[in-house]
Amino acid sequence: MSLGYAEKLSYREDVGTVGMSEIFDPNHLLQQKIEQLAFIIEESKHLVAFTGAGISTSCGIPDFRGPKGVWTLQREGKGVPEASLPFHRAVPSLTHMALVELEKRGILKFVISQNVDSLHLRSGIPREKLAELHGNSFREICPSCGAEYLRDFEVETIGLKVTPRRCSDEKCNSKLRDTVLDWEDALPSKEMNAAEKHCRMADVVLCLGTSLQITPACNLPLKCLRDGGKIVIVNLQPTPKDKRANLVIHGLVDKVVAGVMQLLNMQIPPFIRVDIFQVVFYQFRCVSERKYAKWSLRVTSVHGERAPLPFINSVEVTFPERPELKSALLEKQPFLLKREMLKSRPFKMVLKVNFSDGCGCPFTSIEFPVNFQKQTESTSQDKNVVIQKLIDTAMQDESCGKFSLVEKSILSGLKKEIAIYAGTTNIVRYYDFSSSKGFGNIKWAGKRERKEINVKGKGCSVARHEDEIVKKLKVC
């Protein structure tokens, strides 16, 4: 949940029950319930996940109704809580990535989310297997042709309003709209229909981190009961649907899901974030001047030269082979540099791109050669192939910060060159939860075989504080 989103919402006095005390099942009972849930998931034929704000609190994003939730504090007159990092840099939680692994293995068939934080898409859940009931703060849509645009910045508005950008289809060119609902907005039929369809098909609906108070979304899990399906609720507070559920677990969602994944003998994949930006080099037309060339260099978003570029803090431009040329520090967007130079002397610029808070690496450096006497050729690579190579390299090196050229376009008539770069800016590994009280030497007889799991000595970095697990994720 974005704090900006909470502030943009229209005022509404009745937001349901807020500030309820959190409940923690005793360790022995929690372990039994986790074993039950693991068995239910392994036996399932059509598993659907129904997620709420509680799966993103460990990402540094406050929820709504918890003891320190947005609406809880607002009702107490304390205002909006502080987020621990920029909304656009939030990384998926252990639970997000566990759902990705379950989907890849064919166990999880569909995800229904009430969140607007885009973390399910960012984690790797396919768009066609995801219904975002309340919209997505990072997604715009064309109301004419239906094209969707996923951004790396938070869209400026909510309430299905017009945004500053247009559809990129030249035949369409309609004004785009945001996708986030305000209180009075109806749930989008496309998302709602898919959610209803999969809830009816489900033999298990797993509700994670949701208070199940907002209608009509909260009634979706009940649709699986008609054909004998099961509902499992994992939440720290009671919900109105607890009596209809087959299993209710009061515990931290990440802790419960980690235990389930251990019992299923499944590893939680790391999260690797890839960001993209472009460098635009433009030579101004000057008919009378033959000796000198006037040019500009701009570091911009691939979503448009006027779009925000939130993950870049500044750009340092140096000329290592030409020490007589003055370097430049570009600290404000648009990151723009203008110069005039002799046409006869080629040169090379080095762009040190300094990343913003929340990125796992401080900067990356890119060489950008310029030769006014020689025509540069266009180049293009398959973006998906480039990104996969970057991800593979980040996993192998256990570090991020490497960028590669994806495409270089030369517009000779305009004397304009556009180079698009992609690179890894975050890598997060999710270690097993270990606890002398919790999951050491778990024994469980599953459908396939009896498993004995000893999670001691796994090198996980977890601190235990009585009823709370504080995760320390390895971030490179």
Side-chain angles (χ1 to χ4, degrees):
M1 189 280 307
S2 162
L3 300 183
Y5 163 57
E7 291 173 334
K8 293 171 190 172
L9 279 170
S10 303
Y11 175 76
R12 180 168 177 169
E13 187 171 354
D14 181 16
V15 294
T17 305
V18 301
M20 290 187 293
S21 299
E22 294 180 339
I23 303 170
F24 290 86
D25 288 330
N27 281 330
H28 70 279
L29 179 59
L30 181 63
Q31 181 172 323
Q32 292 175 9
K33 290 182 176 182
I34 288 172
E35 292 174 9
Q36 282 182 262
L37 177 55
F39 184 77
I40 289 172
I41 290 175
E42 190 172 46
E43 291 285 328
S44 69
K45 298 294 188 298
H46 197 99
L47 173 67
V48 172
F50 185 87
T51 65
I55 74 163
S56 297
T57 53
S58 62
C59 308
I61 302 173
D63 60 16
F64 289 102
R65 296 182 176 81
K68 296 182 181 179
V70 172
W71 292 334
T72 302
L73 295 183
Q74 284 183 340
R75 183 167 290 184
E76 296 173 356
K78 296 180 180 179
V80 176
E82 293 184 3
S84 61
L85 79 170
F87 187 44
H88 61 87
R89 294 312 302 181
V91 300
S93 66
L94 181 151
T95 297
H96 286 101
M97 298 310 298
L99 293 177
V100 170
E101 182 65 16
L102 289 170
E103 186 278 325
K104 286 182 178 178
R105 292 185 179 233
I107 297 172
L108 178 63
K109 306 300 184 183
F110 201 75
V111 177
I112 304 166
S113 179
Q114 302 167 92
N115 300 337
V116 299
D117 54 28
S118 196
L119 289 179
H120 281 303
L121 283 176
R122 202 173 291 170
S123 67
I125 294 293
R127 180 67 180 95
E128 65 273 13
K129 294 186 178 181
L130 173 66
E132 295 178 307
L133 299 181
H134 298 155
N136 184 326
S137 290
F138 297 85
R139 180 162 52 87
E140 293 174 288
I141 191 168
C142 176
S144 297
C145 69
E148 294 185 349
Y149 298 86
L150 190 64
R151 309 301 190 186
D152 54 16
F153 57 87
E154 187 175 358
V155 177
E156 300 87 341
T157 61
I158 72 163
L160 313 181
K161 297 183 180 67
V162 172
T163 71
R165 289 159 293 279
R166 289 180 175 270
C167 181
S168 61
D169 187 335
E170 294 180 358
K171 296 180 181 179
C172 181
N173 198 37
S174 298
K175 292 182 178 180
L176 301 180
R177 290 182 178 270
D178 72 74
T179 59
V180 177
L181 306 185
D182 205 344
W183 284 110
E184 67 273 11
D185 296 317
L187 269 64
S189 57
K190 179 181 177 182
E191 311 291 318
M192 194 66 176
N193 291 341
E196 287 184 345
K197 171 188 171 183
H198 282 278
C199 281
R200 290 193 179 98
M201 295 171 62
D203 58 350
V204 178
V205 176
L206 176 58
C207 303
L208 300 170
T210 171
S211 62
L212 293 169
Q213 292 192 48
I214 296 295
T215 57
C218 67
N219 293 318
L220 284 171
L222 302 180
K223 296 184 182 297
C224 79
L225 299 177
R226 296 179 181 178
D227 292 325
K230 297 177 181 178
I231 296 176
V232 178
I233 299 174
V234 183
N235 201 51
L236 285 175
Q237 297 169 312
T239 81
K241 312 300 181 186
D242 285 359
K243 293 181 180 179
R244 306 290 299 276
N246 299 79
L247 177 64
V248 177
I249 304 175
H250 294 301
L252 294 167
V253 176
D254 282 351
K255 181 178 180 180
V256 171
V257 171
V260 168
M261 295 298 282
Q262 288 175 359
L263 287 168
L264 295 176
N265 198 26
M266 295 183 190
Q267 289 189 342
I268 298 171
F271 168 71
I272 299 174
R273 175 159 180 164
V274 174
D275 282 299
I276 302 175
F277 65 87
Q278 65 182 9
V279 178
V280 180
F281 184 84
Y282 178 70
Q283 183 182 346
F284 296 95
R285 291 181 178 275
C286 188
V287 178
S288 60
E289 183 57 70
R290 297 181 179 181
K291 188 176 181 180
Y292 292 92
K294 293 181 179 180
W295 56 267
S296 69
L297 179 137
R298 186 191 299 261
V299 179
T300 71
S301 169
V302 293
H303 303 289
E305 293 189 16
R306 295 185 180 181
L309 197 58
F311 62 91
I312 295 180
N313 192 44
S314 65
V315 180
E316 300 175 47
V317 184
T318 57
F319 305 85
E321 298 174 352
R322 301 277 299 276
E324 76 277 10
L325 298 178
K326 185 179 179 181
S327 61
L329 175 61
L330 314 177
E331 297 184 280
K332 293 183 179 180
Q333 296 188 36
F335 300 115
L336 174 64
L337 176 65
K338 292 183 178 181
R339 288 286 172 90
E340 182 176 343
M341 290 181 175
L342 285 168
K343 289 183 178 180
S344 59
R345 294 191 64 182
F347 60 93
K348 180 175 67 178
M349 287 181 282
V350 174
L351 311 182
K352 182 184 178 184
V353 181
N354 298 307
F355 297 121
S356 62
D357 291 343
C359 294
C361 49
F363 67 89
T364 192
S365 294
I366 290 172
E367 293 185 353
F368 197 90
V370 177
N371 188 340
F372 297 111
Q373 307 297 321
K374 185 178 180 181
Q375 180 70 43
T376 306
E377 295 183 356
S378 297
T379 60
S380 180
Q381 301 183 72
D382 187 308
K383 186 175 74 170
N384 294 328
V385 172
V386 173
I387 289 175
Q388 190 57 55
K389 286 182 179 179
L390 289 166
I391 291 173
D392 293 342
T393 299
M395 290 184 65
Q396 183 177 351
D397 297 345
E398 294 195 347
S399 64
C400 58
K402 183 175 180 180
F403 274 70
S404 296
L405 178 68
V406 177
E407 179 181 345
K408 181 183 288 186
S409 302
I410 308 299
L411 306 178
S412 56
L414 300 174
K415 292 189 176 182
K416 191 175 185 180
E417 178 179 333
I418 303 174
I420 298 176
Y421 296 89
T424 51
T425 54
N426 282 98
I427 175 170
V428 182
R429 293 191 180 276
Y430 302 84
Y431 290 105
D432 295 332
F433 285 74
S434 65
S435 165
S436 58
K437 299 179 182 179
F439 306 114
N441 293 317
I442 294 178
K443 294 182 179 180
W444 170 65
K447 179 174 68 175
R448 298 183 180 90
E449 61 181 14
R450 187 176 181 85
K451 302 178 179 69
E452 182 169 330
I453 302 173
N454 188 337
V455 299
K456 294 180 181 178
K458 290 282 186 180
C460 46
S461 180
V462 179
R464 170 172 289 280
H465 301 287
E466 295 181 355
D467 292 329
E468 182 178 4
I469 294 269
V470 180
K471 296 185 297 161
K472 294 180 181 177
L473 302 180
K474 179 180 178 182
V475 182
C476 301

